[in-house]
Amino acid sequence: MAERKGSADSRTHSTETESLFSSDAAVGTGGEDTVGSAKTLSSTKRRRDALEKELIKALKTPEKEAKAVAGLWDLWTHERGEAAHLQLREADQLMGTANPDMLVRAAAMVDEIMREHENWVEPINRMATILFLQGRYDESVEMCLKVLELKPWHFGALSGIVMCYSRLGNAEEMNKWANRALPPSGTFKKPGSDTVYEPRKGWVNKMIQELEMRQRFLM
């Protein structure tokens, strides 16, 4: 679900991402992810995809993890340009109050962003968070699944769906999704064995393969 705000790493990555994708907000209507030409769009998307891949890879390394997480959140929230990012932040502020009336207003705002920016994961992820806060766990699961259809490596949605099934008392689904979520970093031994394994590295490698396959399919 939605990330926590206000870390120094997040603010640093915000500046970097705004610079990297400044062309997205410069052209187009309604802050859409459009640019002046197909060539520029292709170049921007390639840079964005390359950055996302590098940030996912960085999740393998404990000392890089915090910056990688902040960088991915910032990348995802800027995918449709700075104007759309600011709309999302406004909704986040309403969500942060945890006031029922404010959540209704936030939901209406996020719904409008979702309609304007089809297949942008972060408004969908925000809607999952709002529905969770409203106790509408089944509907929140549906939103998480939509996020994961677009980005199977979206650790926020993976964590969110586990939380939903926990609240629903569905241990089977909760455990299934917990096994797919971002594992802890570090080295571990399997019970009753001297075999050492690193679940985080395995998860990252799998998600990089998925990302590369999708990139090749869309080229």
Side-chain angles (χ1 to χ4, degrees):
M1 294 186 191
E3 82 278 21
R4 296 186 181 276
K5 302 292 182 181
S7 71
D9 284 338
S10 179
R11 289 191 294 271
T12 299
H13 279 285
S14 180
T15 302
E16 293 172 354
T17 311
E18 288 167 19
S19 174
L20 180 60
F21 301 135
S22 59
S23 60
D24 288 6
V27 181
T29 59
E32 293 177 2
D33 189 11
T34 56
V35 286
S37 67
K39 181 178 180 181
T40 305
L41 175 59
S42 178
S43 175
T44 300
K45 188 178 187 310
R46 282 197 301 270
R47 288 187 296 160
R48 179 183 295 140
D49 289 346
L51 177 57
E52 185 166 19
K53 182 177 176 180
E54 289 307 308
L55 289 168
I56 294 172
K57 283 182 178 179
L59 293 172
K60 287 183 181 181
T61 310
E63 56 267 27
K64 295 180 179 179
E65 179 181 356
K67 287 186 177 181
V69 168
L72 283 164
W73 278 123
D74 205 63
L75 177 66
W76 295 336
T77 58
H78 278 86
E79 282 184 335
R80 299 302 169 96
E82 181 60 13
H85 168 71
L86 292 175
Q87 287 181 305
L88 208 57
R89 285 183 60 185
E90 187 176 350
D92 285 345
Q93 290 173 355
L94 294 175
M95 290 165 55
T97 67
N99 179 292
D101 292 336
M102 294 299 101
L103 289 176
V104 171
R105 287 180 55 189
M109 185 177 296
V110 171
D111 183 66
E112 185 176 342
I113 298 171
M114 288 169 60
R115 292 174 186 275
E116 186 176 354
H117 300 281
E118 186 178 358
N119 292 332
W120 181 19
V121 296
E122 279 316 303
I124 305 172
N125 186 49
R126 292 306 192 277
M127 187 62 78
T129 304
I130 292 169
L131 292 167
F132 179 86
L133 293 172
Q134 292 176 327
R136 298 159 65 183
Y137 305 122
D138 285 315
E139 293 171 82
S140 183
V141 166
E142 292 178 10
M143 290 294 109
C144 289
L145 290 173
K146 288 183 179 181
V147 172
L148 295 170
E149 183 179 350
L150 295 165
K151 289 186 186 290
W153 49 88
H154 196 293
F155 44 76
L158 286 166
S159 174
I161 202 168
V162 173
M163 293 166 60
C164 287
Y165 279 121
S166 175
R167 293 295 180 91
L168 288 167
N170 190 332
E172 182 179 354
E173 287 295 320
M174 182 187 73
N175 291 329
K176 182 183 82 172
W177 285 100
N179 288 330
R180 299 182 187 183
L182 180 66
S185 58
T187 302
F188 302 87
K189 282 188 177 182
K190 293 183 178 180
S193 171
D194 291 332
T195 303
V196 175
Y197 70 107
E198 297 178 81
R200 172 68 65 84
K201 285 189 176 181
W203 186 92
V204 168
N205 290 338
K206 180 180 177 181
M207 294 306 168
I208 289 295
Q209 289 177 356
E210 177 70 25
L211 186 149
E212 289 176 341
M213 181 183 70
R214 289 170 180 242
Q215 288 175 346
R216 286 194 297 270
F217 179 77
L218 293 173
M219 285 179 65

